[in-house]
Amino acid sequence: LLGLRKGLGLFANLRPVRVVPALAAASPLREERAAGADVMIVRELTGGIYFGDRGRRDGEAHDTCVYTVAEIERIARTAFDSARSRSDMGTRGPKVTSVDKANVLETSRLWRETVTRVSTEFADVELEHVLVDNAAMQLVSEPSRFDVILTENMFGDILSDEAAMLTGSLGMLPSASLGEEGPGVFEPVHGSAPDIAGTGTANPLAMFLSIALMLRYGLDREHDAARVEAAVEAVLERGLRTPDLSWVESEQPPMSDIPAEVEVGTREMTDAVLEELMS
């Protein structure tokens, strides 16, 4: 996967995290805390410690984190553009929260300096800088305060998986990996999940939502992207749940106004979304 990203020049990973009203009670957070969260995480994807020099020698190991000004500039512009487009679609903002560890790391100091300079090109977008440990805390204490989160490769990997749990399951999180031009890669964040292959328990909704991102960012078909997202939300509002989202066996079902939940398998959930799209 790292080779695919590098080979195609896919430097920008977009991970939208939105708490669907029907799933607010499925989040590990209290329902009133998770409700309303709608975050776009913009992660730099081809630099940093994942691609730096690494090795072992004489009982020591090293992993090197390197970022150039050009790498930071292009991902920062992606984040600011994303904040503008989200504002145009009617969400709050525009605001970018740049996450780093500038109190310790020199790469983060360069990151913060460069993002601050690029922000002058986007006077209509609010910018704040937050240290990564503080950002991790605020994602679970006040997730609705965030609009667009901009961060480097490793921090983005960790924070986006944390943010996924706001939705109730990693099975709800799509992603888009984009470059300057050419094809992108659109995939669920959870990966292939080989441990549950063939069991009928996989959640297909992140794949549907990844298709919506492909329609939006890869094919410029916003209307169709919105239709797919609406179909996913509709089946959840009907109470359908794959096992990772289900409260059927819970001793303490959530307080909610949505219909009684029905646990279904992968095929049934897929068919339900397709039926909504064709209705």
Side-chain angles (χ1 to χ4, degrees), residues 2-160:
L2 294 180
L4 184 63
R5 292 167 178 169
K6 195 73 171 180
L8 293 175
L10 307 178
F11 68 88
N13 185 230
L14 308 184
R15 296 188 174 186
V17 181
R18 177 175 174 268
V19 177
V20 176
L23 290 182
S27 171
L29 300 184
R30 293 199 306 270
E31 186 171 352
E32 65 272 18
R33 181 162 289 181
D38 184 1
V39 186
M40 174 67 81
I41 298 178
V42 179
R43 168 190 171 193
E44 201 288 323
L45 206 56
T46 56
I49 201 167
Y50 289 178
F51 288 92
D53 180 60
R54 67 190 65 185
R56 296 190 182 190
R57 185 178 62 183
D58 299 330
E60 295 182 348
H62 70 275
D63 295 280
T64 307
C65 182
V66 177
Y67 268 109
T68 67
V69 169
E71 287 174 326
I72 302 168
E73 286 177 339
R74 67 183 183 180
I75 193 64
R77 291 190 176 99
T78 299
F80 285 112
D81 283 334
S82 179
R84 274 181 173 171
S85 65
R86 282 163 58 84
S87 180
D88 291 342
M89 289 190 292
T91 60
R92 60 132 199 217
K95 177 182 177 181
V96 170
T97 301
S98 181
V99 174
D100 58 41
K101 193 62 176 172
N103 59 335
V104 176
L105 302 176
E106 195 61 36
T107 47
S108 282
R109 295 185 185 110
L110 178 65
W111 181 281
R112 184 171 291 205
E113 293 167 7
T114 305
V115 170
T116 299
R117 177 170 49 77
V118 171
S119 72
T120 62
E121 303 171 16
F122 301 84
D124 57 316
V125 181
E126 178 185 353
L127 170 67
E128 67 171 349
H129 298 282
V130 176
L131 296 176
V132 63
D133 40 357
N134 187 17
M137 178 190 70
Q138 293 193 47
L139 265 175
V140 294
S141 63
E142 194 182 358
S144 60
R145 73 176 297 277
F146 293 105
D147 179 22
V148 172
I149 294 177
L150 163 65
T151 193
E152 57 101 71
N153 207 341
M154 184 171 68
F155 295 160
D157 192 3
I158 297 167
L159 291 177
S160 59

Side-chain angles (χ1 to χ4, degrees), residues 119-276:
S119 72
T120 62
E121 303 171 16
F122 301 84
D124 57 316
V125 181
E126 178 185 353
L127 170 67
E128 67 171 349
H129 298 282
V130 176
L131 296 176
V132 63
D133 40 357
N134 187 17
M137 178 190 70
Q138 293 193 47
L139 265 175
V140 294
S141 63
E142 194 182 358
S144 60
R145 73 176 297 277
F146 293 105
D147 179 22
V148 172
I149 294 177
L150 163 65
T151 193
E152 57 101 71
N153 207 341
M154 184 171 68
F155 295 160
D157 192 3
I158 297 167
L159 291 177
S160 59
D161 278 9
E162 179 193 10
M165 295 314 298
L166 298 173
T167 68
S169 171
L170 195 62
M172 291 297 299
L173 202 65
S175 76
S177 299
L178 308 172
E180 298 281 4
E181 57 184 23
V185 172
F186 305 87
E187 57 176 337
V189 170
H190 57 64
S192 59
D195 56 318
I196 58 173
T199 65
T201 60
N203 185 342
L205 297 183
M207 180 61 80
F208 275 108
L209 294 172
S210 296
I211 291 169
L213 295 185
M214 180 182 68
L215 290 166
R216 176 172 292 122
Y217 295 108
L219 301 173
D220 195 25
R221 294 170 59 174
E222 173 60 34
H223 174 72
D224 292 323
R227 286 185 60 225
V228 173
E229 291 165 344
V232 168
E233 189 160 344
V235 299
L236 292 171
E237 289 174 350
R238 285 163 44 191
L240 300 186
R241 301 286 185 271
T242 44
D244 57 310
L245 296 171
S246 177
W247 288 82
V248 171
E249 301 297 330
S250 172
E251 296 179 359
Q252 295 180 318
M255 300 298 293
S256 179
D257 295 329
I258 65 173
E261 296 182 4
V262 179
E263 185 173 305
V264 297
T266 306
R267 183 177 297 276
E268 292 83 2
M269 182 65 88
T270 299
D271 289 343
V273 175
L274 294 175
E275 287 171 6
E276 287 289 340

